[in-house]
Amino acid sequence: MKCRFRMASEIFAFLRCKQCVRAADTPVARHADFELRALTEEDGNEEEPSYTWRRNILIAALLSTITFFVASAYSMVGSFFPIEAAEMGSNSITTAVIIGVSPLCLATLSPVIGYFLPKLGIKMILVSGQVLVGGAFFLMAFLAYMPSSTSFVVYGILLRVTEGVGWAMSNTTTFALIPVLFPSRVGTLTGLIFGALGLGYTAGPPLGSILVVAAGYSAPFWIVGGILLCLAPVTFLLLKETSTSSKVLPFQIVIKLLSHLSFSMIQIADIVGYGSLTFQGAALGVYLMNEIGLNLLEIGIYFAVIAVSYTLITVVAGWLSDKFGPRTLIITGLFICGASLMVLGLNQLPPIPPQWTILIALALVGCGAALADVPTYSDLLQQAQTLYAKENQESLIAAVSGITAFSQAFGSFLGAILGGFLTYFTEFTTASLIFGEVITMHAFLVLGVSLIDHLFLKLKS
């Protein structure tokens, strides 16, 4: 009995990832501490620690604000832009291309930006990304004055591509700054950024609709784009440049990171976690209207439940990740996501009416996705510094940041596509059941890989 209890204690201790909790002793943290000192030195004079802490808090607040407005800029166009596009003669396919090309650029370019981040510098890329996103979004206000539908579509795509490039630059550098500013609180800061991201996605559509009703089509673009442009000089003045290096991480090491079983399992967990948030978008509204009998306002509330529950849990998930380690939360979040989607597919819990079953399941999907997504950056960063502790840590952080940003965008894109594909060939409930089973199976795989890694390390020691 004592032997079993000891084994269970050892497994739980492994899943807590104490090495990540004690991040101050890792090579990444030591490198981050060096970069942090570089950030607080000017003309050879080191600033007071209190000022350093206050400035880092301001930078964290600034990064959260930037993330909020960038996410709002992406999500708010869905509430009013298709109407304007239809009036300008754009069909549904070209409108979807205009809206969807931005996250496609984010998914494609994030690893590339992360790869070259050490050479180009965090400050330059972050400020440039803000200018590109804010400038492109500001100029989209003038699409209503295009002389033809062709010019509307062409310039719309070009501006959204520019916005996507800036989004990728801003998102990747934000992740890279987290371990530099707060090396022992990576999970907490990641949760704060994810919370701002979820809040931006949630507030974007209603904010866009309110601004259009109050001041016309151009108002959302001028206001949000103008705010992002005004934040760029603030970022330039507040953030001091880190030391750049001409050395980038060898591409072979990036491939080896992705080919490492435990690393790839956690990255896939991040992808399916984000996918669970967008999976319902293609058919949930139609199902709620036709099968449950809800009106448009009630359907909007059901969609908001996912985003609100995700946003509320992100900061808590980040704090729990720092306290108990990321791996336990990732596995727990995957199980919650999978079980909730399967309940959504079955849609029958005897004591609960179907509409309440769906509402509770959607809320749990948001909570599970937050628990699965937020700790992944800490886990991937810990694995990378353990596998390649002798490599340039600045390049290693940048590479993991790019991989994380890619997983974020690709998961959102894949979830929407997979949801539409499965719903086309089956019913919505069957599609939810299938995806829930896939996520649950992956949760068991992550748990199995974690246990194998633990036993391997125990035998090796």
Side-chain angles (χ1 to χ4, degrees):
M1 188 67 180
K2 290 183 178 179
C3 181
R4 292 180 181 177
F5 178 77
R6 182 179 179 184
M7 177 65 72
S9 300
E10 290 178 352
I11 292 174
F12 180 72
F14 170 77
L15 291 177
R16 284 184 62 180
C17 294
K18 290 184 177 180
Q19 293 179 357
C20 184
V21 177
R22 298 172 180 173
D25 296 330
T26 63
V28 168
R30 288 195 294 270
H31 169 77
D33 183 64
F34 171 77
E35 292 290 351
L36 185 58
R37 290 195 299 270
L39 280 169
T40 58
E41 291 178 358
E42 186 175 13
D43 298 329
N45 297 321
E46 188 173 352
E47 298 173 356
E48 294 296 328
S50 59
Y51 177 76
T52 300
W53 177 255
R54 287 197 301 269
R55 189 174 56 76
N56 289 344
I57 293 294
L58 287 176
I59 293 175
L62 178 64
L63 293 176
S64 301
T65 304
I66 294 169
T67 302
F68 169 79
F69 282 108
V70 170
S72 299
Y74 166 70
S75 64
M76 70 169 50
V77 295
S79 62
F80 64 90
F81 185 78
I83 300 173
E84 182 68 24
E87 294 178 356
M88 293 295 296
S90 174
N91 58 44
S92 59
I93 296 178
T94 54
T95 302
V97 171
I98 294 173
I99 295 176
V101 72
S102 183
L104 182 62
C105 290
L106 173 62
T108 306
L109 296 177
S110 292
V112 179
I113 293 171
Y115 185 73
F116 290 104
L117 186 59
K119 186 173 183 178
L120 300 177
I122 289 178
K123 180 178 178 178
M124 187 194 77
I125 292 183
L126 180 57
V127 174
S128 300
Q130 289 178 244
V131 172
L132 288 178
V133 174
F137 201 69
F138 188 90
L139 291 176
M140 284 187 70
F142 297 97
L143 290 178
Y145 304 101
M146 290 292 106
S148 65
S149 60
T150 302
S151 58
F152 177 88
V153 171
V154 171
Y155 283 106
I157 291 175
L158 289 176
L159 288 175
R160 289 290 283 181
V161 167
T162 305
E163 183 183 334
V165 174
W167 189 10
M169 296 168 72
S170 175
N171 203 31
T172 305
T173 49
T174 297
F175 278 114
L177 269 173
I178 289 174
V180 173
L181 295 174
F182 298 95
S184 61
R185 292 291 181 267
V186 173
T188 303
L189 263 292
T190 304
L192 182 65
I193 297 299
F194 275 64
L197 188 70
L199 188 61
Y201 284 144
T202 306
L207 180 61
S209 299
I210 292 171
L211 291 175
V212 168
V213 172
Y217 165 79
S218 300
F221 299 110
W222 286 342
I223 293 174
V224 176
I227 290 174
L228 285 171
L229 288 175
C230 290
L231 288 175
V234 177
T235 304
F236 183 83
L237 294 174
L238 190 60
L239 184 66
K240 296 178 176 64
E241 183 62 89
T242 57
S243 57
T244 57
S245 172
S246 59
K247 295 182 178 179
V248 296
L249 194 68
F251 189 70
Q252 292 82 355
I253 292 183
V254 178
I255 297 299
K256 288 180 180 179
L257 280 175
L258 296 175
S259 62
H260 192 269
L261 181 60
S262 181
F263 192 94
S264 61
M265 287 291 103
I266 298 301
Q267 188 193 11
I268 294 173
D270 198 16
I271 291 173
V272 298
Y274 273 101
S276 66
L277 295 173
T278 58
F279 178 79
Q280 299 85 10
L284 177 60
V286 177
Y287 175 78
L288 292 174
M289 180 176 290
N290 296 338
E291 301 296 331
I292 308 299
L294 302 182
N295 57 42
L296 290 177
L297 179 60
E298 292 170 330
I299 291 173
I301 293 174
Y302 273 65
F303 273 101
V305 163
I306 306 176
V308 171
S309 61
Y310 178 86
T311 303
L312 292 176
I313 297 299
T314 48
V315 178
V316 179
W319 178 78
L320 291 174
S321 174
D322 286 332
K323 188 173 182 61
F324 298 106
R327 190 66 61 88
T328 304
L329 290 184
I330 294 171
I331 296 172
T332 303
L334 289 174
F335 276 120
I336 293 175
C337 263
S340 302
L341 285 172
M342 286 190 285
V343 169
L344 190 62
L346 295 173
N347 191 22
Q348 47 185 353
L349 294 177
I352 306 176
Q355 59 268 29
W356 284 104
T357 301
I358 296 174
L359 194 66
I360 294 171
L362 292 176
L364 289 175
V365 166
C367 295
L371 292 174
D373 291 335
V374 172
T376 53
Y377 182 61
S378 297
D379 195 296
L380 294 176
L381 193 60
Q382 178 207 357
Q383 290 190 62
Q385 63 89 20
T386 301
L387 291 170
Y388 298 102
K390 295 182 180 180
E391 292 295 331
N392 182 289
Q393 295 300 308
E394 182 183 353
S395 302
L396 204 60
I397 291 172
V400 175
S401 300
I403 291 171
T404 304
F406 164 78
S407 302
Q408 206 180 85
F410 183 71
S412 301
F413 176 77
L414 182 65
I417 295 297
L418 187 60
F421 180 80
L422 290 176
T423 305
Y424 180 80
F425 290 100
T426 63
E427 298 180 350
F428 171 73
T429 51
T430 305
S432 297
L433 189 63
I434 293 172
F435 194 48
E437 291 172 348
V438 170
I439 294 178
T440 303
M441 289 172 57
H442 187 67
F444 278 112
L445 287 175
V446 175
L447 178 60
V449 169
S450 301
L451 295 177
I452 291 173
D453 284 346
H454 168 67
L455 294 175
F456 177 77
L457 290 174
K458 184 179 179 182
L459 292 175
K460 188 177 180 180
S461 60

